[in-house]
Each structure stands twice: as C-alpha cells, then as structure tokens.
Amino acid sequence: VQLQASGGGLVQTGGSLNLTCAGSGPTFSTSVISWFRQAPGKEREFVAGISRSGSATSYADSVKDRCTISRDNAKNTVYLEIATLKPEDTAIYYCAQSSYLVRRGDAYKYWGQGTLVTVSS
C-alpha cells in the first residue's frame, strides 16, 4: 500500500487549497482515508476523514466549516478542499488509511509522506 499526498504550497490568508491523496493497492477503495496535519512544534492532529463509500465524513472542529473531504474510488483518490485558510493551518498534511473512521492516529496503518501547506499572513 502506498499513499501519495500532493497539492500543498504557499497560500495567502483567506485563500484555498485542494489536497489530493492518491493510493495504490487493492484495499484503498475499501478503506477509510483521513487527513492529519502536524504544525511545527505541535502534535499531529486529525483534520478530516471519509468512509469507504464516502457516505460518512468526520471533521475536526477547527476546520469543519471550511473543509470538504471527498473521494473517487474509481481513481483511488481522496480530496481535501480547505477554504478561508488561516496562518494556523500551516502544517504538513498527511493522508492515512485505516479500517475505522476514527480520529486516533494510532488506528491508521498506512501513511503518505505529507505535503506542506504554508499560509502567509
């Protein structure tokens, strides 16, 4: 199983980004995929997750009004749209694969390499 996160970059406050998690392997489309982030000097935190079919989603309170997670199982891809970006959104964003839609990082067996999002003030 491999996960490839992409789409990060430098964005001004108030801007938006679309992150992509591309997966390989036969289990991607039958697994929960979530996004986590880790800011400098801070612990990793859950951002958003989506169930196998896409019918269920979960968002952290810090992003729930600004964020949309979706998936295209035919393309083995999960997307994360973040709008109205704030400097505190600056972090490395990781996608991860699990059997459960939970917010604990230790429930996720496979992780992508991360993509850096920097929001300038």
Side-chain angles (χ1 to χ4, degrees):
V1 174
Q2 288 189 330
L3 301 174
Q4 180 78 30
S6 62
L10 176 63
V11 186
Q12 290 187 336
T13 296
S16 61
L17 272 180
N18 293 309
L19 304 182
T20 298
C21 177
S24 64
T27 61
F28 184 90
S29 62
T30 59
S31 297
V32 166
I33 303 296
S34 290
W35 288 91
F36 291 78
R37 67 186 181 185
Q38 187 165 21
K42 295 188 177 181
E43 293 187 352
R44 182 181 60 197
E45 63 176 358
F46 173 85
V47 178
I50 189 166
S51 64
R52 300 167 182 78
S53 67
S55 60
T57 57
S58 179
Y59 297 94
D61 288 344
S62 59
V63 301
K64 64 181 179 180
D65 296 328
R66 307 183 286 122
C67 197
T68 302
I69 188 170
S70 60
R71 69 188 300 162
D72 185 340
N73 285 338
K75 296 181 179 179
N76 268 14
T77 304
V78 169
Y79 307 97
L80 184 70
E81 301 174 55
I82 314 174
T84 320
L85 282 160
K86 307 173 182 179
E88 51 263 44
D89 293 318
T90 295
I92 300 175
Y93 285 70
Y94 301 89
C95 57
Q97 182 173 324
S98 175
S99 298
Y100 309 101
L101 183 51
V102 294
R103 302 188 179 198
R104 299 183 349 257
D106 60 5
Y108 291 77
K109 184 176 181 180
Y110 302 105
W111 292 79
Q113 86 292 354
T115 185
L116 176 63
V117 172
T118 303
V119 183
S120 63
S121 57

PDB file of all heavy atoms in Angstrom, residues 36-77:
ATOM      1  N   PHE A  36      -4.512  14.107   8.347  1.00  0.00           N
ATOM      2  CA  PHE A  36      -3.975  14.628   9.593  1.00  0.00           C
ATOM      3  C   PHE A  36      -3.014  15.762   9.237  1.00  0.00           C
ATOM      4  O   PHE A  36      -2.579  15.879   8.092  1.00  0.00           O
ATOM      5  CB  PHE A  36      -3.207  13.537  10.358  1.00  0.00           C
ATOM      6  CG  PHE A  36      -4.073  12.450  10.919  1.00  0.00           C
ATOM      7  CD1 PHE A  36      -4.569  11.441  10.103  1.00  0.00           C
ATOM      8  CD2 PHE A  36      -4.388  12.428  12.263  1.00  0.00           C
ATOM      9  CE1 PHE A  36      -5.367  10.430  10.622  1.00  0.00           C
ATOM     10  CE2 PHE A  36      -5.180  11.419  12.795  1.00  0.00           C
ATOM     11  CZ  PHE A  36      -5.664  10.422  11.969  1.00  0.00           C
ATOM     12  N   ARG A  37      -2.665  16.548  10.221  1.00  0.00           N
ATOM     13  CA  ARG A  37      -1.659  17.579   9.986  1.00  0.00           C
ATOM     14  C   ARG A  37      -0.786  17.744  11.220  1.00  0.00           C
ATOM     15  O   ARG A  37      -1.203  17.439  12.330  1.00  0.00           O
ATOM     16  CB  ARG A  37      -2.303  18.913   9.616  1.00  0.00           C
ATOM     17  CG  ARG A  37      -3.106  19.577  10.733  1.00  0.00           C
ATOM     18  CD  ARG A  37      -3.810  20.815  10.211  1.00  0.00           C
ATOM     19  NE  ARG A  37      -4.571  21.496  11.267  1.00  0.00           N
ATOM     20  CZ  ARG A  37      -5.358  22.546  11.053  1.00  0.00           C
ATOM     21  NH1 ARG A  37      -5.511  23.027   9.816  1.00  0.00           N
ATOM     22  NH2 ARG A  37      -6.008  23.093  12.062  1.00  0.00           N
ATOM     23  N   GLN A  38       0.415  18.203  10.978  1.00  0.00           N
ATOM     24  CA  GLN A  38       1.336  18.469  12.068  1.00  0.00           C
ATOM     25  C   GLN A  38       2.030  19.791  11.816  1.00  0.00           C
ATOM     26  O   GLN A  38       2.755  19.936  10.822  1.00  0.00           O
ATOM     27  CB  GLN A  38       2.361  17.350  12.228  1.00  0.00           C
ATOM     28  CG  GLN A  38       3.228  17.525  13.468  1.00  0.00           C
ATOM     29  CD  GLN A  38       3.981  16.263  13.825  1.00  0.00           C
ATOM     30  OE1 GLN A  38       4.186  15.379  12.992  1.00  0.00           O
ATOM     31  NE2 GLN A  38       4.409  16.162  15.079  1.00  0.00           N
ATOM     32  N   ALA A  39       1.776  20.724  12.700  1.00  0.00           N
ATOM     33  CA  ALA A  39       2.411  22.038  12.616  1.00  0.00           C
ATOM     34  C   ALA A  39       3.745  21.995  13.357  1.00  0.00           C
ATOM     35  O   ALA A  39       3.946  21.157  14.234  1.00  0.00           O
ATOM     36  CB  ALA A  39       1.499  23.093  13.226  1.00  0.00           C
ATOM     37  N   PRO A  40       4.646  22.906  13.021  1.00  0.00           N
ATOM     38  CA  PRO A  40       5.953  22.932  13.695  1.00  0.00           C
ATOM     39  C   PRO A  40       5.808  23.035  15.213  1.00  0.00           C
ATOM     40  O   PRO A  40       5.085  23.902  15.710  1.00  0.00           O
ATOM     41  CB  PRO A  40       6.618  24.184  13.122  1.00  0.00           C
ATOM     42  CG  PRO A  40       5.968  24.377  11.797  1.00  0.00           C
ATOM     43  CD  PRO A  40       4.543  23.929  11.971  1.00  0.00           C
ATOM     44  N   GLY A  41       6.431  22.135  15.909  1.00  0.00           N
ATOM     45  CA  GLY A  41       6.413  22.164  17.357  1.00  0.00           C
ATOM     46  C   GLY A  41       5.132  21.682  17.998  1.00  0.00           C
ATOM     47  O   GLY A  41       4.976  21.785  19.222  1.00  0.00           O
ATOM     48  N   LYS A  42       4.222  21.145  17.186  1.00  0.00           N
ATOM     49  CA  LYS A  42       2.946  20.691  17.731  1.00  0.00           C
ATOM     50  C   LYS A  42       2.733  19.220  17.434  1.00  0.00           C
ATOM     51  O   LYS A  42       3.388  18.651  16.558  1.00  0.00           O
ATOM     52  CB  LYS A  42       1.797  21.528  17.156  1.00  0.00           C
ATOM     53  CG  LYS A  42       1.839  22.988  17.570  1.00  0.00           C
ATOM     54  CD  LYS A  42       0.587  23.705  17.133  1.00  0.00           C
ATOM     55  CE  LYS A  42       0.575  25.147  17.609  1.00  0.00           C
ATOM     56  NZ  LYS A  42      -0.667  25.860  17.201  1.00  0.00           N
ATOM     57  N   GLU A  43       1.789  18.623  18.126  1.00  0.00           N
ATOM     58  CA  GLU A  43       1.461  17.235  17.889  1.00  0.00           C
ATOM     59  C   GLU A  43       0.613  17.102  16.636  1.00  0.00           C
ATOM     60  O   GLU A  43      -0.095  18.022  16.230  1.00  0.00           O
ATOM     61  CB  GLU A  43       0.715  16.661  19.096  1.00  0.00           C
ATOM     62  CG  GLU A  43       1.569  16.560  20.349  1.00  0.00           C
ATOM     63  CD  GLU A  43       0.849  15.841  21.475  1.00  0.00           C
ATOM     64  OE1 GLU A  43      -0.349  15.554  21.338  1.00  0.00           O
ATOM     65  OE2 GLU A  43       1.511  15.576  22.498  1.00  0.00           O
ATOM     66  N   ARG A  44       0.680  15.934  16.062  1.00  0.00           N
ATOM     67  CA  ARG A  44      -0.154  15.629  14.909  1.00  0.00           C
ATOM     68  C   ARG A  44      -1.625  15.656  15.336  1.00  0.00           C
ATOM     69  O   ARG A  44      -1.971  15.199  16.424  1.00  0.00           O
ATOM     70  CB  ARG A  44       0.218  14.250  14.372  1.00  0.00           C
ATOM     71  CG  ARG A  44      -0.528  13.800  13.146  1.00  0.00           C
ATOM     72  CD  ARG A  44      -0.070  12.411  12.760  1.00  0.00           C
ATOM     73  NE  ARG A  44      -0.321  11.455  13.823  1.00  0.00           N
ATOM     74  CZ  ARG A  44       0.247  10.262  13.913  1.00  0.00           C
ATOM     75  NH1 ARG A  44       1.137   9.896  13.010  1.00  0.00           N
ATOM     76  NH2 ARG A  44      -0.042   9.446  14.900  1.00  0.00           N
ATOM     77  N   GLU A  45      -2.479  16.175  14.449  1.00  0.00           N
ATOM     78  CA  GLU A  45      -3.901  16.228  14.766  1.00  0.00           C
ATOM     79  C   GLU A  45      -4.745  15.793  13.573  1.00  0.00           C
ATOM     80  O   GLU A  45      -4.355  15.981  12.413  1.00  0.00           O
ATOM     81  CB  GLU A  45      -4.314  17.646  15.192  1.00  0.00           C
ATOM     82  CG  GLU A  45      -4.157  18.701  14.135  1.00  0.00           C
ATOM     83  CD  GLU A  45      -4.686  20.064  14.584  1.00  0.00           C
ATOM     84  OE1 GLU A  45      -5.213  20.173  15.705  1.00  0.00           O
ATOM     85  OE2 GLU A  45      -4.571  21.013  13.786  1.00  0.00           O
ATOM     86  N   PHE A  46      -5.880  15.239  13.891  1.00  0.00           N
ATOM     87  CA  PHE A  46      -6.847  14.813  12.882  1.00  0.00           C
ATOM     88  C   PHE A  46      -7.475  16.036  12.231  1.00  0.00           C
ATOM     89  O   PHE A  46      -7.788  17.027  12.920  1.00  0.00           O
ATOM     90  CB  PHE A  46      -7.918  13.965  13.562  1.00  0.00           C
ATOM     91  CG  PHE A  46      -9.080  13.585  12.700  1.00  0.00           C
ATOM     92  CD1 PHE A  46      -9.017  12.463  11.882  1.00  0.00           C
ATOM     93  CD2 PHE A  46     -10.244  14.334  12.704  1.00  0.00           C
ATOM     94  CE1 PHE A  46     -10.089  12.090  11.093  1.00  0.00           C
ATOM     95  CE2 PHE A  46     -11.319  13.978  11.926  1.00  0.00           C
ATOM     96  CZ  PHE A  46     -11.245  12.845  11.114  1.00  0.00           C
ATOM     97  N   VAL A  47      -7.670  15.968  10.919  1.00  0.00           N
ATOM     98  CA  VAL A  47      -8.313  17.063  10.192  1.00  0.00           C
ATOM     99  C   VAL A  47      -9.685  16.629   9.667  1.00  0.00           C
ATOM    100  O   VAL A  47     -10.706  17.260   9.941  1.00  0.00           O
ATOM    101  CB  VAL A  47      -7.439  17.551   9.027  1.00  0.00           C
ATOM    102  CG1 VAL A  47      -8.153  18.657   8.251  1.00  0.00           C
ATOM    103  CG2 VAL A  47      -6.083  18.030   9.518  1.00  0.00           C
ATOM    104  N   ALA A  48      -9.702  15.553   8.891  1.00  0.00           N
ATOM    105  CA  ALA A  48     -10.950  15.091   8.289  1.00  0.00           C
ATOM    106  C   ALA A  48     -10.785  13.639   7.862  1.00  0.00           C
ATOM    107  O   ALA A  48      -9.678  13.202   7.559  1.00  0.00           O
ATOM    108  CB  ALA A  48     -11.333  15.953   7.098  1.00  0.00           C
ATOM    109  N   GLY A  49     -11.898  12.925   7.823  1.00  0.00           N
ATOM    110  CA  GLY A  49     -11.865  11.535   7.385  1.00  0.00           C
ATOM    111  C   GLY A  49     -13.120  11.199   6.598  1.00  0.00           C
ATOM    112  O   GLY A  49     -14.155  11.864   6.729  1.00  0.00           O
ATOM    113  N   ILE A  50     -13.015  10.151   5.772  1.00  0.00           N
ATOM    114  CA  ILE A  50     -14.132   9.747   4.934  1.00  0.00           C
ATOM    115  C   ILE A  50     -14.233   8.231   4.914  1.00  0.00           C
ATOM    116  O   ILE A  50     -13.227   7.524   4.875  1.00  0.00           O
ATOM    117  CB  ILE A  50     -13.988  10.339   3.514  1.00  0.00           C
ATOM    118  CG1 ILE A  50     -15.256  10.116   2.695  1.00  0.00           C
ATOM    119  CG2 ILE A  50     -12.747   9.782   2.794  1.00  0.00           C
ATOM    120  CD1 ILE A  50     -15.305  10.956   1.431  1.00  0.00           C
ATOM    121  N   SER A  51     -15.458   7.742   4.953  1.00  0.00           N
ATOM    122  CA  SER A  51     -15.683   6.296   4.965  1.00  0.00           C
ATOM    123  C   SER A  51     -15.410   5.683   3.602  1.00  0.00           C
ATOM    124  O   SER A  51     -15.159   6.375   2.619  1.00  0.00           O
ATOM    125  CB  SER A  51     -17.134   6.009   5.377  1.00  0.00           C
ATOM    126  OG  SER A  51     -18.035   6.542   4.412  1.00  0.00           O
ATOM    127  N   ARG A  52     -15.485   4.367   3.535  1.00  0.00           N
ATOM    128  CA  ARG A  52     -15.174   3.641   2.303  1.00  0.00           C
ATOM    129  C   ARG A  52     -16.011   4.119   1.137  1.00  0.00           C
ATOM    130  O   ARG A  52     -15.514   4.319   0.035  1.00  0.00           O
ATOM    131  CB  ARG A  52     -15.412   2.150   2.521  1.00  0.00           C
ATOM    132  CG  ARG A  52     -14.580   1.532   3.599  1.00  0.00           C
ATOM    133  CD  ARG A  52     -15.103   0.139   3.955  1.00  0.00           C
ATOM    134  NE  ARG A  52     -14.362  -0.486   5.038  1.00  0.00           N
ATOM    135  CZ  ARG A  52     -14.516  -0.206   6.310  1.00  0.00           C
ATOM    136  NH1 ARG A  52     -15.392   0.693   6.683  1.00  0.00           N
ATOM    137  NH2 ARG A  52     -13.793  -0.820   7.223  1.00  0.00           N
ATOM    138  N   SER A  53     -17.287   4.250   1.356  1.00  0.00           N
ATOM    139  CA  SER A  53     -18.193   4.631   0.272  1.00  0.00           C
ATOM    140  C   SER A  53     -18.271   6.135   0.077  1.00  0.00           C
ATOM    141  O   SER A  53     -18.772   6.613  -0.938  1.00  0.00           O
ATOM    142  CB  SER A  53     -19.585   4.093   0.566  1.00  0.00           C
ATOM    143  OG  SER A  53     -20.127   4.752   1.702  1.00  0.00           O
ATOM    144  N   GLY A  54     -17.808   6.866   1.072  1.00  0.00           N
ATOM    145  CA  GLY A  54     -17.926   8.319   1.028  1.00  0.00           C
ATOM    146  C   GLY A  54     -19.197   8.836   1.662  1.00  0.00           C
ATOM    147  O   GLY A  54     -19.435  10.049   1.684  1.00  0.00           O
ATOM    148  N   SER A  55     -20.006   7.935   2.194  1.00  0.00           N
ATOM    149  CA  SER A  55     -21.294   8.353   2.746  1.00  0.00           C
ATOM    150  C   SER A  55     -21.160   8.989   4.126  1.00  0.00           C
ATOM    151  O   SER A  55     -22.072   9.690   4.576  1.00  0.00           O
ATOM    152  CB  SER A  55     -22.237   7.145   2.833  1.00  0.00           C
ATOM    153  OG  SER A  55     -21.680   6.153   3.678  1.00  0.00           O
ATOM    154  N   ALA A  56     -20.047   8.733   4.792  1.00  0.00           N
ATOM    155  CA  ALA A  56     -19.827   9.312   6.120  1.00  0.00           C
ATOM    156  C   ALA A  56     -18.519  10.089   6.139  1.00  0.00           C
ATOM    157  O   ALA A  56     -17.509   9.647   5.573  1.00  0.00           O
ATOM    158  CB  ALA A  56     -19.786   8.213   7.179  1.00  0.00           C
ATOM    159  N   THR A  57     -18.556  11.241   6.776  1.00  0.00           N
ATOM    160  CA  THR A  57     -17.364  12.066   6.914  1.00  0.00           C
ATOM    161  C   THR A  57     -17.246  12.557   8.349  1.00  0.00           C
ATOM    162  O   THR A  57     -18.225  12.564   9.101  1.00  0.00           O
ATOM    163  CB  THR A  57     -17.395  13.282   5.967  1.00  0.00           C
ATOM    164  OG1 THR A  57     -18.572  14.038   6.241  1.00  0.00           O
ATOM    165  CG2 THR A  57     -17.385  12.851   4.510  1.00  0.00           C
ATOM    166  N   SER A  58     -16.060  12.963   8.695  1.00  0.00           N
ATOM    167  CA  SER A  58     -15.804  13.491  10.030  1.00  0.00           C
ATOM    168  C   SER A  58     -14.802  14.624   9.895  1.00  0.00           C
ATOM    169  O   SER A  58     -13.843  14.517   9.116  1.00  0.00           O
ATOM    170  CB  SER A  58     -15.237  12.381  10.924  1.00  0.00           C
ATOM    171  OG  SER A  58     -14.946  12.864  12.218  1.00  0.00           O
ATOM    172  N   TYR A  59     -15.024  15.695  10.652  1.00  0.00           N
ATOM    173  CA  TYR A  59     -14.153  16.859  10.575  1.00  0.00           C
ATOM    174  C   TYR A  59     -13.756  17.324  11.972  1.00  0.00           C
ATOM    175  O   TYR A  59     -14.558  17.257  12.910  1.00  0.00           O
ATOM    176  CB  TYR A  59     -14.856  18.022   9.872  1.00  0.00           C
ATOM    177  CG  TYR A  59     -15.217  17.769   8.438  1.00  0.00           C
ATOM    178  CD1 TYR A  59     -16.469  17.300   8.075  1.00  0.00           C
ATOM    179  CD2 TYR A  59     -14.276  17.991   7.426  1.00  0.00           C
ATOM    180  CE1 TYR A  59     -16.794  17.054   6.750  1.00  0.00           C
ATOM    181  CE2 TYR A  59     -14.597  17.754   6.093  1.00  0.00           C
ATOM    182  CZ  TYR A  59     -15.852  17.289   5.766  1.00  0.00           C
ATOM    183  OH  TYR A  59     -16.166  17.052   4.454  1.00  0.00           O
ATOM    184  N   ALA A  60     -12.547  17.821  12.081  1.00  0.00           N
ATOM    185  CA  ALA A  60     -12.138  18.483  13.311  1.00  0.00           C
ATOM    186  C   ALA A  60     -12.907  19.796  13.445  1.00  0.00           C
ATOM    187  O   ALA A  60     -13.239  20.431  12.436  1.00  0.00           O
ATOM    188  CB  ALA A  60     -10.635  18.756  13.284  1.00  0.00           C
ATOM    189  N   ASP A  61     -13.165  20.189  14.668  1.00  0.00           N
ATOM    190  CA  ASP A  61     -13.906  21.433  14.899  1.00  0.00           C
ATOM    191  C   ASP A  61     -13.207  22.631  14.281  1.00  0.00           C
ATOM    192  O   ASP A  61     -13.847  23.578  13.829  1.00  0.00           O
ATOM    193  CB  ASP A  61     -14.085  21.659  16.399  1.00  0.00           C
ATOM    194  CG  ASP A  61     -15.082  20.691  17.015  1.00  0.00           C
ATOM    195  OD1 ASP A  61     -15.855  20.058  16.268  1.00  0.00           O
ATOM    196  OD2 ASP A  61     -15.069  20.556  18.258  1.00  0.00           O
ATOM    197  N   SER A  62     -11.894  22.581  14.231  1.00  0.00           N
ATOM    198  CA  SER A  62     -11.120  23.723  13.737  1.00  0.00           C
ATOM    199  C   SER A  62     -11.278  23.960  12.246  1.00  0.00           C
ATOM    200  O   SER A  62     -10.944  25.040  11.753  1.00  0.00           O
ATOM    201  CB  SER A  62      -9.642  23.538  14.075  1.00  0.00           C
ATOM    202  OG  SER A  62      -9.148  22.344  13.486  1.00  0.00           O
ATOM    203  N   VAL A  63     -11.783  22.966  11.514  1.00  0.00           N
ATOM    204  CA  VAL A  63     -11.886  23.107  10.058  1.00  0.00           C
ATOM    205  C   VAL A  63     -13.260  22.798   9.508  1.00  0.00           C
ATOM    206  O   VAL A  63     -13.499  22.968   8.309  1.00  0.00           O
ATOM    207  CB  VAL A  63     -10.854  22.195   9.336  1.00  0.00           C
ATOM    208  CG1 VAL A  63      -9.435  22.537   9.773  1.00  0.00           C
ATOM    209  CG2 VAL A  63     -11.157  20.726   9.560  1.00  0.00           C
ATOM    210  N   LYS A  64     -14.186  22.352  10.340  1.00  0.00           N
ATOM    211  CA  LYS A  64     -15.418  21.765   9.819  1.00  0.00           C
ATOM    212  C   LYS A  64     -16.234  22.723   8.971  1.00  0.00           C
ATOM    213  O   LYS A  64     -16.987  22.287   8.093  1.00  0.00           O
ATOM    214  CB  LYS A  64     -16.268  21.212  10.956  1.00  0.00           C
ATOM    215  CG  LYS A  64     -16.765  22.253  11.948  1.00  0.00           C
ATOM    216  CD  LYS A  64     -17.581  21.580  13.040  1.00  0.00           C
ATOM    217  CE  LYS A  64     -18.073  22.594  14.065  1.00  0.00           C
ATOM    218  NZ  LYS A  64     -18.868  21.937  15.137  1.00  0.00           N
ATOM    219  N   ASP A  65     -16.132  24.014   9.206  1.00  0.00           N
ATOM    220  CA  ASP A  65     -16.903  24.970   8.406  1.00  0.00           C
ATOM    221  C   ASP A  65     -16.153  25.424   7.160  1.00  0.00           C
ATOM    222  O   ASP A  65     -16.686  26.197   6.359  1.00  0.00           O
ATOM    223  CB  ASP A  65     -17.249  26.196   9.257  1.00  0.00           C
ATOM    224  CG  ASP A  65     -18.160  25.849  10.416  1.00  0.00           C
ATOM    225  OD1 ASP A  65     -18.985  24.918  10.263  1.00  0.00           O
ATOM    226  OD2 ASP A  65     -18.043  26.484  11.476  1.00  0.00           O
ATOM    227  N   ARG A  66     -14.916  24.950   7.002  1.00  0.00           N
ATOM    228  CA  ARG A  66     -14.074  25.442   5.898  1.00  0.00           C
ATOM    229  C   ARG A  66     -13.521  24.313   5.034  1.00  0.00           C
ATOM    230  O   ARG A  66     -12.740  24.573   4.109  1.00  0.00           O
ATOM    231  CB  ARG A  66     -12.885  26.216   6.469  1.00  0.00           C
ATOM    232  CG  ARG A  66     -13.241  27.319   7.430  1.00  0.00           C
ATOM    233  CD  ARG A  66     -12.006  28.069   7.870  1.00  0.00           C
ATOM    234  NE  ARG A  66     -11.196  27.309   8.810  1.00  0.00           N
ATOM    235  CZ  ARG A  66      -9.935  26.986   8.614  1.00  0.00           C
ATOM    236  NH1 ARG A  66      -9.322  27.315   7.475  1.00  0.00           N
ATOM    237  NH2 ARG A  66      -9.248  26.324   9.536  1.00  0.00           N
ATOM    238  N   CYS A  67     -13.928  23.105   5.318  1.00  0.00           N
ATOM    239  CA  CYS A  67     -13.229  21.973   4.743  1.00  0.00           C
ATOM    240  C   CYS A  67     -14.222  20.965   4.165  1.00  0.00           C
ATOM    241  O   CYS A  67     -15.305  20.757   4.732  1.00  0.00           O
ATOM    242  CB  CYS A  67     -12.418  21.324   5.872  1.00  0.00           C
ATOM    243  SG  CYS A  67     -11.140  20.232   5.352  1.00  0.00           S
ATOM    244  N   THR A  68     -13.853  20.352   3.042  1.00  0.00           N
ATOM    245  CA  THR A  68     -14.666  19.293   2.457  1.00  0.00           C
ATOM    246  C   THR A  68     -13.757  18.151   2.042  1.00  0.00           C
ATOM    247  O   THR A  68     -12.797  18.359   1.298  1.00  0.00           O
ATOM    248  CB  THR A  68     -15.429  19.801   1.231  1.00  0.00           C
ATOM    249  OG1 THR A  68     -16.254  20.908   1.594  1.00  0.00           O
ATOM    250  CG2 THR A  68     -16.297  18.693   0.657  1.00  0.00           C
ATOM    251  N   ILE A  69     -14.091  16.956   2.505  1.00  0.00           N
ATOM    252  CA  ILE A  69     -13.353  15.773   2.089  1.00  0.00           C
ATOM    253  C   ILE A  69     -14.246  14.955   1.172  1.00  0.00           C
ATOM    254  O   ILE A  69     -15.452  14.831   1.393  1.00  0.00           O
ATOM    255  CB  ILE A  69     -12.877  14.940   3.303  1.00  0.00           C
ATOM    256  CG1 ILE A  69     -11.946  13.816   2.866  1.00  0.00           C
ATOM    257  CG2 ILE A  69     -14.050  14.426   4.120  1.00  0.00           C
ATOM    258  CD1 ILE A  69     -11.245  13.110   4.031  1.00  0.00           C
ATOM    259  N   SER A  70     -13.663  14.406   0.123  1.00  0.00           N
ATOM    260  CA  SER A  70     -14.420  13.600  -0.829  1.00  0.00           C
ATOM    261  C   SER A  70     -13.496  12.535  -1.403  1.00  0.00           C
ATOM    262  O   SER A  70     -12.274  12.595  -1.218  1.00  0.00           O
ATOM    263  CB  SER A  70     -14.991  14.478  -1.945  1.00  0.00           C
ATOM    264  OG  SER A  70     -13.956  15.138  -2.646  1.00  0.00           O
ATOM    265  N   ARG A  71     -14.086  11.580  -2.099  1.00  0.00           N
ATOM    266  CA  ARG A  71     -13.253  10.529  -2.689  1.00  0.00           C
ATOM    267  C   ARG A  71     -13.828  10.069  -4.014  1.00  0.00           C
ATOM    268  O   ARG A  71     -15.036  10.149  -4.254  1.00  0.00           O
ATOM    269  CB  ARG A  71     -13.084   9.365  -1.721  1.00  0.00           C
ATOM    270  CG  ARG A  71     -14.310   8.545  -1.461  1.00  0.00           C
ATOM    271  CD  ARG A  71     -14.065   7.539  -0.318  1.00  0.00           C
ATOM    272  NE  ARG A  71     -12.975   6.614  -0.625  1.00  0.00           N
ATOM    273  CZ  ARG A  71     -12.335   5.883   0.298  1.00  0.00           C
ATOM    274  NH1 ARG A  71     -12.666   6.003   1.588  1.00  0.00           N
ATOM    275  NH2 ARG A  71     -11.373   5.049  -0.045  1.00  0.00           N
ATOM    276  N   ASP A  72     -12.932   9.546  -4.843  1.00  0.00           N
ATOM    277  CA  ASP A  72     -13.297   8.940  -6.116  1.00  0.00           C
ATOM    278  C   ASP A  72     -12.632   7.571  -6.122  1.00  0.00           C
ATOM    279  O   ASP A  72     -11.434   7.455  -6.428  1.00  0.00           O
ATOM    280  CB  ASP A  72     -12.808   9.809  -7.270  1.00  0.00           C
ATOM    281  CG  ASP A  72     -13.254   9.289  -8.624  1.00  0.00           C
ATOM    282  OD1 ASP A  72     -13.612   8.091  -8.722  1.00  0.00           O
ATOM    283  OD2 ASP A  72     -13.221  10.059  -9.595  1.00  0.00           O
ATOM    284  N   ASN A  73     -13.366   6.552  -5.768  1.00  0.00           N
ATOM    285  CA  ASN A  73     -12.776   5.215  -5.670  1.00  0.00           C
ATOM    286  C   ASN A  73     -12.333   4.660  -7.022  1.00  0.00           C
ATOM    287  O   ASN A  73     -11.438   3.826  -7.082  1.00  0.00           O
ATOM    288  CB  ASN A  73     -13.747   4.263  -4.993  1.00  0.00           C
ATOM    289  CG  ASN A  73     -13.827   4.505  -3.486  1.00  0.00           C
ATOM    290  OD1 ASN A  73     -12.908   5.065  -2.881  1.00  0.00           O
ATOM    291  ND2 ASN A  73     -14.926   4.098  -2.883  1.00  0.00           N
ATOM    292  N   ALA A  74     -12.961   5.123  -8.075  1.00  0.00           N
ATOM    293  CA  ALA A  74     -12.540   4.673  -9.404  1.00  0.00           C
ATOM    294  C   ALA A  74     -11.123   5.155  -9.721  1.00  0.00           C
ATOM    295  O   ALA A  74     -10.403   4.530 -10.510  1.00  0.00           O
ATOM    296  CB  ALA A  74     -13.511   5.178 -10.455  1.00  0.00           C
ATOM    297  N   LYS A  75     -10.741   6.263  -9.108  1.00  0.00           N
ATOM    298  CA  LYS A  75      -9.402   6.820  -9.323  1.00  0.00           C
ATOM    299  C   LYS A  75      -8.480   6.579  -8.130  1.00  0.00           C
ATOM    300  O   LYS A  75      -7.348   7.083  -8.118  1.00  0.00           O
ATOM    301  CB  LYS A  75      -9.506   8.324  -9.591  1.00  0.00           C
ATOM    302  CG  LYS A  75     -10.255   8.684 -10.864  1.00  0.00           C
ATOM    303  CD  LYS A  75     -10.285  10.188 -11.072  1.00  0.00           C
ATOM    304  CE  LYS A  75     -11.005  10.540 -12.360  1.00  0.00           C
ATOM    305  NZ  LYS A  75     -11.069  12.010 -12.578  1.00  0.00           N
ATOM    306  N   ASN A  76      -8.961   5.849  -7.134  1.00  0.00           N
ATOM    307  CA  ASN A  76      -8.166   5.623  -5.921  1.00  0.00           C
ATOM    308  C   ASN A  76      -7.638   6.941  -5.360  1.00  0.00           C
ATOM    309  O   ASN A  76      -6.448   7.080  -5.044  1.00  0.00           O
ATOM    310  CB  ASN A  76      -7.000   4.671  -6.199  1.00  0.00           C
ATOM    311  CG  ASN A  76      -7.353   3.224  -5.923  1.00  0.00           C
ATOM    312  OD1 ASN A  76      -8.515   2.871  -5.777  1.00  0.00           O
ATOM    313  ND2 ASN A  76      -6.352   2.372  -5.856  1.00  0.00           N
ATOM    314  N   THR A  77      -8.518   7.911  -5.235  1.00  0.00           N
ATOM    315  CA  THR A  77      -8.104   9.245  -4.816  1.00  0.00           C
ATOM    316  C   THR A  77      -9.070   9.822  -3.793  1.00  0.00           C
ATOM    317  O   THR A  77     -10.283   9.641  -3.905  1.00  0.00           O
ATOM    318  CB  THR A  77      -8.020  10.187  -6.034  1.00  0.00           C
ATOM    319  OG1 THR A  77      -7.138   9.621  -6.997  1.00  0.00           O
ATOM    320  CG2 THR A  77      -7.483  11.555  -5.626  1.00  0.00           C
TER     321      THR A  77
END
